Amino acid sequence: RAMSQYGQADQAQRLLNRIVEKHPEAPEPHFIRGKMALSRADYAEAEKHFKQAKALLRASNIEHKQLDETLGIYERFVQVYLDRDRLFTRDLSQDDCIAEIRHLRERTQVLSRDINGDSKPEIQGMLFFLETQDKIFEKWLDEMGAPPEPTLA
């Protein structure tokens, strides 16, 4: 991961490939590959690697329990962005589009609340992106003339 952060992504990828060759049952290299893809905003590739990592988790491994929880957050994060991007490829009526954006916004807010309760710094780093995306969803709704959302009594 450090190599990737310092502009040596190719070298980091080669190292991960060697680790996968030697330890094909290890979920961690796939998790790191997913995070590298996420850093490039390649959400589909990130999702693929997170799913591969999840499939290799072993319930008997205590470290994998924590990785499973972390992967769950990453998968939900990526899914918000994949679903957001899919909005542009769907032929929705304005009302359906407003409903979809509201649903995405709700998922973003729920994920933000869940992350607020997580003490891991790497997870906390997602908050900035989710808060920014929430504001973008709010702006989209405003630009579309969406009526205010009903408040629960």
Side-chain angles (χ1 to χ4, degrees):
R1 188 171 55 175
M3 294 174 110
S4 178
Q5 290 173 337
Y6 293 106
Q8 299 172 334
D10 290 340
Q11 210 172 349
Q13 192 63 47
R14 284 193 298 275
L15 179 61
L16 284 171
N17 289 342
R18 282 196 302 254
I19 293 170
V20 169
E21 286 173 17
K22 289 183 181 186
H23 306 282
E25 75 291 344
E28 294 85 358
H30 297 286
F31 176 59
I32 294 168
R33 282 179 172 164
K35 288 172 51 172
M36 289 172 66
L38 192 57
S39 73
R40 297 187 310 272
D42 187 345
Y43 304 113
E45 188 72 11
E47 177 186 47
K48 179 181 96 174
H49 288 297
F50 292 147
K51 284 182 179 184
Q52 287 175 324
K54 197 145 192 142
L56 293 170
L57 293 174
R58 291 185 309 277
S60 61
N61 185 322
I62 201 109
E63 290 174 4
H64 287 191
K65 183 180 184 318
Q66 184 176 2
L67 182 56
D68 186 37
E69 292 170 7
T70 301
L71 273 165
I73 296 287
Y74 272 93
E75 287 177 317
R76 288 170 58 200
F77 181 85
V78 165
Q79 201 59 54
V80 165
Y81 287 90
L82 285 171
D83 290 346
R84 176 206 63 188
D85 292 350
R86 288 182 188 122
L87 269 178
F88 300 108
T89 64
R90 297 170 63 197
D91 187 24
L92 298 173
S93 69
Q94 183 165 344
D95 288 343
D96 288 343
C97 190
I98 287 171
E100 287 289 323
I101 293 169
R102 282 191 169 143
H103 181 67
L104 279 168
R105 186 168 186 219
E106 179 184 339
R107 287 173 42 207
T108 301
Q109 292 169 349
V110 167
L111 181 54
S112 292
R113 283 192 296 274
D114 291 349
I115 288 172
N116 265 323
D118 194 307
S119 62
K120 292 186 257 345
E122 75 176 279
I123 299 296
Q124 288 289 318
M126 293 179 180
L127 280 174
F128 169 79
F129 298 99
L130 291 170
E131 289 166 355
T132 300
Q133 188 59 59
D134 182 55
K135 289 176 185 161
I136 291 169
F137 288 146
E138 180 180 34
K139 186 174 181 351
W140 288 357
L141 290 168
D142 184 54
E143 289 173 353
M144 294 178 80
E149 293 184 64
T151 55
L152 300 174

